[in-house]
Amino acid sequence: MAATTVWQPRDDGLAEIFTLLEQQISPSSAVDKSQIWKQLEHFSQFPDFNNYLVFILVRAEGKPIGIRQAAGLLLKNNLKRVWISMAQENQKYIKSELLPCLGAVDRHIRTTVGTIISEVVNIEGVSGWLELLPALVSCLDSNDLNHMDGAMDALSKICEDIPQVLDSEVPGLAERPINIFLPRLYQQFFQSPHASLRKLALGCVNQYVIIMPAALYNSMDKYLQGLFVLANDPVAEVRKLVCAAFVHLTEVLPSSIEPHLRNVMEYMLQVNKDPDEEVALEACEFWSAYCDAQLPTENLKEFLPRLIPVLLSNMAYADDDESLLDAEEDESQPDRDQDLKPRFHTSRLHGSEDFDDDDDDSFNVWNLRKCSAAAIDVLSNVFGDEILPALMPLIQAKLSASGDEAWKEREAAVLTLGAIAEGCFNGLYPLLSEATFLLPLLDDKFPLIRSISCWTLSRFGKYLIQEIGNPKGYEQFEKVLMGLLRRLLDSNKRVQEAACSAFATVEEDAAEELVPHLEVILQHLMCAFGKYQRRNLRIVYDAIGTLADSVREELNKPAYLEILMPPLVAKWQQLSNSDKDLFPLLECFTSISQALGVGFAPFAQPVFQRCMDIIQLQLLAKVDPASAGAQYDREFIVCSLDLLSGLAEGLGSGIESLISPSNLRDLLLKCCMDEASDVRQSAFALMGDLARVYPAYLQPRMVEFLEIASQQLSANLIRENLSVANNACWAIGELAVKVRQEVSPIVTNVASSLGLILQHGEAVNKSLVENSAITLGRLAWIRPDLVAPHMEHFMKPWCLALSMVRDDIEKEDAFRGLCAVVKVNPSGGVSSLVFICKAIASWHEIRSEDVNNEVSQVLNGYKQLLGNSWAECLSALEPPVKERLARYV
């Protein structure tokens, strides 16, 4: 039988690919990289192109390492796309070439091979490559450093990218791969004399803490023993991994460290002072994790006198902190593009605000200073005033440190006061009655002290506002307000940013207390608006929007509008329809239009027309950027739809004259069908707002609007679709109460989808559950005959959800529906009667007389229907529920 011929490259093909790779990695700007990519893309059409790449990586000895590595990385990226469709003999050839190279002499080659192996395992698991595990084991057991390092590197990448693959059954293997590797990692590699192997081994095992497979759980003692051995490793990266392991164990399985708690805490306290900042940072994460894990607080309390000074000393700026460089920037220096943080517009959402906000800080670097401040914050919330005796003498000593060289100490003390503002509220009370002690620091010569003082004062805002009723408290609030406004006009960009953000926080807390100061506030804000560079301008827009949200219609006075509107309108006219600086301005106008209500009418026409133009331009850019003269960016559409919603909410039926002659209806329908979830989310919010104020406008395409909205409720409700479903659900309910019987065609489908959402309430979120309960009630009120036959399936979760809704007009509508279906199908509610009673008892007071009567009729109807069993049903209810029901029955 003839031997299978092994694939061999052709010399000319090899030379050509080699030259291209050489040019690709060449630093020379004379080389046109896009042409090279085109050539490589062209070659990738040939079935054996990837064989050439693996050949260059593995066998081109004597050639430059950079070129061999480039071949390997290109191979890895290609395999992602083509592995599944590759001929089997080519797959086999690539695998057979990679394995012997695990022990390559050059580390760059070994690690590139490890990356490719991990990619193949990611695609087809370990069962598709039966030779891999024996090859890794044989390298690990070889005692040859290169082979052990290559195998450990590949293993660590598999553990990082696809840890579960080693914790699954593999045909032909007596045990799971993880059971083969873990003992080797503990016994051989945790104790290896080679730091690189210790690091890789510990990194591998750490990946499994989060998913905690049985193999790790059952060998926990060996893992912990290994951690204690490595705890004082001379290599910082290993110590960092030890700290990470203890933090993850504390989060995932706190019971595992409880027997060793004192030792672990003692160790973490020591390493929190590690000369290597990354190690100290990892150790610092432990204290917040400890508190979250609800481990015994008395153990931690004992450590506070030693822990607090460490955290405090780590809160001073490090000499290489990038903020120190930024802090010197004067307002006259224009912003560079890289200074502008990516911004995220949050699409309009109707209902309880329980969706996770994107953390604005994601753009900032997490470091030891911030982590230490977060730890102090958490400790202050757990222990409250008990931390003050250990903390206040240190804060006071740092605050009174004089001289320029001590400014970082003073700054850290102010940061600490801000961090403990919420947790130690009561104990700081006497000090706070002199909150003005921070005011002189607003004028400190060091910009970072001025900026942190703004933040700390804003953290005490709630306290100051509580005290506003007495003369001294009012005077303090005024001083702080004026101090922050003064800093808005600071010449330092960093201080401007801090003052403006702090002021926005105070606005939210103070709300109507700001009204007497509106004129001076607007003067300062618009003065800042005139002098800020682009980055800080965004924060001014936010502060203006927050002010409008806080004082609402109080803003609608000619004297205030004279100060506020002309500069905003001028900016609005200056920016083109495709300028991204429009986003924060559109958001700002949304808040202003909602606050002013009909007072916004004089500005409404140009704002409405501009939104329409922007949406049309973007819909064109989506299909034909050249003729639109702009690149498609859906955020323009989202912000414009939200501003139109703000107009609808503010102007009410006054929006009729704006939208009647327009083609908004057709544009909106397109946006409701957009593939991007945030566009759909804002589109359904606008549909609901229009349904409330001008339902007749939607009439000509009513059936389509309802149909598309109902489709969102049966979609795959993953995270981004939840907000879309939430708004679509709300919009259907708003439309239903206006157009009544016209919603009939969708009632059965929507009721069925809402029933499913309510049954799986724990998988969605509070807002969607509430809106589902209300919309289901509204549909049941309009067409009880269509909803009642299915009520048994969702009665219990529906009633539970209604119990959580606050008393308002929407809840009244929902109860009209609940009563209507019970009347149509009383027997369908018997099995859920306890829950119906609890839902009724959730009302503090039903203000509507007709709903009150309906509820009373339902309860009395069941009382008659059940006869002697009624008392039995009541006995299952808690006394407060019975007490409330007595009003109706």
Side-chain angles (χ1 to χ4, degrees):
M1 186 173 134
T4 317
T5 52
V6 175
W7 178 87
Q8 286 295 331
R10 284 176 35 197
D11 289 348
D12 55 344
L14 204 55
E16 211 172 334
I17 294 170
F18 204 90
T19 307
L20 279 175
L21 291 170
E22 193 170 24
Q23 292 175 323
Q24 186 211 351
I25 64 169
S26 150
S28 160
S29 54
V31 180
D32 182 356
K33 297 282 162 86
S34 63
Q35 277 307 108
I36 294 166
W37 268 117
K38 273 188 189 152
Q39 276 292 115
L40 289 168
E41 276 295 306
H42 168 68
F43 279 144
S44 64
Q45 311 299 314
F46 294 101
D48 61 351
F49 175 56
N50 293 308
N51 296 13
Y52 279 91
L53 293 178
V54 79
F55 186 90
I56 293 171
L57 169 67
V58 171
R59 296 186 178 264
E61 283 170 17
K63 298 286 189 186
I65 294 295
I67 295 174
R68 292 173 63 188
Q69 227 184 335
L73 294 174
L74 182 57
L75 171 64
K76 176 219 161 193
N77 292 330
N78 284 353
L79 295 187
K80 265 186 188 167
R81 294 180 304 171
V82 301
W83 182 264
I84 302 293
S85 56
M86 265 171 89
Q88 223 170 353
E89 62 270 21
N90 289 342
Q91 290 183 347
K92 221 171 188 172
Y93 173 74
I94 290 171
K95 287 175 177 177
S96 67
E97 288 293 289
L98 289 171
L99 291 183
C101 212
L102 276 168
V105 175
D106 188 280
R107 187 149 205 268
H108 294 99
I109 300 296
R110 294 199 299 272
T111 55
T112 307
V113 165
T115 303
I116 300 167
I117 287 174
S118 166
E119 189 56 55
V120 174
V121 173
N122 197 2
I123 298 166
E124 60 170 36
V126 279
S127 49
W129 190 353
L130 294 175
E131 304 83 358
L132 174 63
L133 295 178
L136 289 174
V137 169
S138 127
C139 288
L140 292 177
D141 294 349
S142 68
N143 254 343
D144 171 81
L145 180 56
N146 291 342
H147 281 82
M148 292 190 295
D149 184 70
M152 276 305 314
D153 180 78
L155 195 57
S156 75
K157 284 167 178 160
I158 293 170
C159 292
E160 188 177 343
D161 298 338
I162 25 173
Q164 65 287 356
V165 83
L166 297 182
D167 184 38
S168 42
E169 307 292 343
V170 177
L173 270 192
E175 53 188 341
R176 295 181 175 201
I178 192 170
N179 294 321
I180 299 168
F181 290 114
L182 273 184
R184 285 178 167 79
L185 298 180
Y186 297 147
Q187 284 147 30
Q188 283 165 251
F189 293 95
F190 274 25
Q191 289 158 45
S192 167
H194 304 287
S196 64
L197 296 180
R198 296 196 300 277
K199 191 183 96 180
L200 287 168
L202 183 47
C204 280
V205 185
N206 282 5
Q207 294 296 337
Y208 285 96
V209 173
I210 302 296
I211 54 176
M212 195 52 72
L216 179 56
Y217 186 81
N218 296 332
S219 61
M220 186 54 69
D221 284 349
K222 285 187 179 148
Y223 181 36
L224 290 168
Q225 259 171 340
L227 291 175
F228 290 129
V229 169
L230 293 169
N232 296 309
D233 198 279
V235 175
E237 286 190 61
V238 176
R239 296 196 302 280
K240 181 180 163 185
L241 286 167
V242 171
C243 293
F246 283 131
V247 170
H248 291 326
L249 284 170
T250 306
E251 291 167 340
V252 175
L253 191 67
S255 59
S256 64
I257 60 162
E258 254 185 292
H260 315 279
L261 206 46
R262 181 164 289 283
N263 289 340
V264 172
M265 292 169 80
E266 201 62 68
Y267 172 68
M268 287 305 211
L269 181 60
Q270 292 318 310
V271 196
N272 215 156
K273 299 181 275 196
D274 198 281
D276 184 291
E277 187 175 322
E278 287 195 20
V279 178
L281 170 58
E282 204 61 64
C284 191
E285 300 282 5
F286 174 74
W287 310 110
S288 298
Y290 185 102
C291 296
D292 291 343
Q294 295 176 327
L295 283 160
T297 49
E298 57 275 13
N299 295 17
L300 188 51
K301 194 172 173 183
E302 237 178 278
F303 277 77
L304 292 178
R306 288 189 295 149
L307 171 60
I308 283 171
V310 175
L311 293 174
L312 213 55
S313 74
N314 285 340
M315 280 164 74
Y317 274 111
D319 292 335
D320 59 353
D321 193 307
E322 57 186 37
S323 301
L324 298 179
L325 300 172
D326 299 346
E328 298 314 313
E329 237 182 77
D330 188 79
E331 64 180 357
S332 58
Q333 289 173 269
D335 289 334
R336 299 160 305 173
D337 278 346
Q338 62 265 41
D339 293 335
L340 297 171
K341 295 181 185 180
R343 59 179 301 291
F344 303 99
H345 172 82
T346 310
S347 300
R348 200 173 170 86
L349 184 79
H350 278 280
S352 308
E353 301 290 332
D354 68 329
F355 286 74
D356 293 339
D357 283 341
D358 282 319
D359 184 2
D360 285 346
D361 228 29
S362 55
F363 187 76
N364 295 332
V365 179
W366 187 242
N367 56 24
L368 183 56
R369 164 188 163 82
K370 290 176 185 170
C371 188
S372 304
I376 285 268
D377 185 352
V378 171
L379 290 172
S380 75
N381 279 297
V382 171
F383 293 102
D385 300 340
E386 291 177 52
I387 68 169
L388 292 177
L391 191 55
M392 286 316 289
L394 297 171
I395 290 179
Q396 275 150 345
K398 284 177 185 288
L399 275 177
S400 53
S402 55
D404 284 3
E405 67 290 345
W407 79 264
K408 289 182 189 169
E409 298 299 309
R410 292 199 299 280
E411 193 278 344
V414 181
L415 169 61
T416 310
L417 280 170
I420 62 172
E422 288 180 5
C424 300
F425 202 62
N426 298 327
L428 291 172
Y429 209 81
L431 178 68
L432 278 182
S433 56
E434 299 302 322
T436 40
F437 80 98
L438 283 172
L439 286 175
L441 293 171
L442 286 175
D443 297 304
D444 196 276
K445 73 182 262 193
F446 289 96
L448 288 173
I449 290 186
R450 299 201 298 278
S451 65
I452 200 66
S453 301
C454 291
W455 177 74
T456 294
L457 280 167
S458 76
R459 296 269 290 174
F460 288 126
K462 285 192 183 77
Y463 163 80
L464 293 166
I465 289 146
Q466 277 174 19
E467 296 296 301
I468 223 164
N470 63 59
K472 190 175 177 200
Y474 186 77
E475 186 190 337
Q476 278 212 148
F477 175 70
E478 277 206 308
K479 280 183 181 167
V480 170
L481 190 66
M482 293 314 296
L484 288 176
L485 289 174
R486 201 168 64 250
R487 286 285 65 81
L488 280 182
L489 307 181
D490 200 291
S491 62
N492 179 283
K493 287 185 184 180
R494 181 67 182 271
V495 180
Q496 293 173 352
E497 179 182 10
C500 212
S501 299
F503 184 66
T505 304
V506 170
E507 286 177 325
E508 284 178 358
D509 292 336
E512 66 277 3
E513 300 295 350
L514 298 172
V515 172
H517 310 281
L518 264 176
E519 189 167 351
V520 70
I521 289 172
L522 285 167
Q523 283 164 345
H524 278 80
L525 282 173
M526 299 326 286
C527 186
F529 182 80
K531 69 186 262 170
Y532 281 12
Q533 300 279 355
R534 283 171 66 203
R535 187 176 84 168
N536 284 347
L537 205 50
R538 294 172 173 188
I539 308 171
V540 183
Y541 285 131
D542 182 50
I544 295 170
T546 306
L547 181 68
D549 294 338
S550 300
V551 301
R552 305 294 296 179
E553 64 281 354
E554 293 291 341
L555 198 54
N556 194 11
K557 304 256 164 54
Y560 300 153
L561 296 182
E562 266 305 294
I563 305 170
L564 174 67
M565 294 306 290
L568 291 178
V569 170
K571 177 65 81 176
W572 172 261
Q573 287 162 349
Q574 176 195 331
L575 297 171
S576 82
N577 280 349
S578 54
D579 189 326
K580 291 186 179 187
D581 286 347
L582 262 180
F583 295 149
L585 183 50
L586 288 164
E587 288 172 355
C588 182
F589 269 138
T590 303
S591 293
I592 293 171
S593 65
Q594 286 167 289
L596 295 183
V598 290
F600 194 73
F603 313 99
Q605 174 57 47
V607 169
F608 174 79
Q609 197 46 56
R610 184 79 180 268
C611 289
M612 295 294 291
D613 294 346
I614 291 170
I615 294 171
Q616 274 165 316
L617 177 75
Q618 286 301 321
L619 290 175
L620 175 60
K622 192 174 180 180
V623 290
D624 186 358
S627 61
Q631 282 303 309
Y632 175 64
D633 182 341
R634 66 177 191 269
E635 195 164 353
F636 281 105
I637 298 184
V638 172
C639 287
S640 300
L641 289 170
D642 287 350
L643 178 42
L644 292 174
S645 274
L647 283 177
E649 193 178 312
L651 299 174
S653 56
I655 199 167
E656 195 173 317
S657 58
L658 286 179
I659 64 177
S660 288
S662 77
N663 65 335
L664 173 61
R665 185 171 43 232
D666 302 336
L667 290 183
L668 180 58
L669 199 56
K670 261 189 192 156
C671 293
C672 286
M673 294 187 278
D674 199 275
E675 66 278 4
S677 58
D678 50 355
V679 173
R680 294 201 308 282
Q681 181 181 333
S682 290
F684 287 114
L686 178 53
M687 173 185 153
D689 281 316
L690 291 176
R692 291 176 99 162
V693 298
Y694 187 22
Y697 182 69
L698 300 174
Q699 193 75 41
R701 305 198 70 172
M702 177 79 70
V703 176
E704 290 161 277
F705 275 114
L706 285 169
E707 194 51 53
I708 291 159
S710 64
Q711 284 164 17
Q712 311 305 311
L713 304 178
S714 52
N716 177 18
L717 291 182
I718 49 174
R719 186 166 181 238
E720 53 269 29
N721 289 339
L722 284 177
S723 308
V724 181
N726 180 75
N727 285 0
C729 173
W730 172 79
I732 291 170
E734 289 298 332
L735 207 47
V737 291
K738 288 292 196 302
V739 302
R740 313 286 303 169
Q741 300 300 320
E742 287 180 55
V743 296
S744 297
I746 60 145
V747 168
T748 306
N749 275 346
V750 170
S752 153
S753 298
L754 296 179
L756 282 171
I757 289 172
L758 291 170
Q759 282 162 7
H760 301 101
E762 70 290 341
V764 292
N765 50 41
K766 186 177 163 210
S767 185
L768 179 53
V769 167
E770 282 188 9
N771 275 320
S772 299
I774 290 162
T775 296
L776 182 57
R778 286 173 156 176
L779 297 177
W781 174 32
I782 293 157
R783 290 299 306 267
D785 56 320
L786 295 179
V787 176
H790 313 286
M791 63 194 264
E792 278 177 78
H793 300 304
F794 50 72
M795 202 65 184
K796 178 183 164 183
W798 185 23
C799 289
L800 284 171
L802 287 175
S803 308
M804 309 306 290
V805 177
R806 65 177 179 274
D807 291 9
D808 62 10
I809 215 154
E810 294 183 333
K811 186 166 177 170
E812 285 179 5
D813 286 352
F815 269 79
R816 287 187 174 97
L818 180 70
C819 295
V821 290
V822 165
K823 283 182 173 172
V824 171
N825 179 10
S827 60
V830 172
S831 61
S832 307
L833 187 53
V834 167
F835 297 97
I836 295 174
C837 290
K838 285 182 178 175
I840 291 170
S842 71
W843 282 97
H844 296 288
E845 179 194 358
I846 301 179
R847 296 203 170 157
S848 155
E849 201 178 323
D850 68 305
V851 177
N852 210 352
N853 294 338
E854 293 285 332
V855 164
S856 187
Q857 282 172 29
V858 162
L859 287 175
N860 282 301
Y862 274 124
K863 186 177 179 181
Q864 283 177 328
L865 181 73
L866 293 177
N868 298 334
S869 310
W870 174 250
E872 197 182 312
C873 169
L874 285 183
S875 67
L877 301 170
E878 298 83 17
V881 174
K882 285 187 208 168
E883 210 174 292
R884 285 196 170 169
L885 290 181
R887 304 173 197 167
Y888 312 104
V889 64

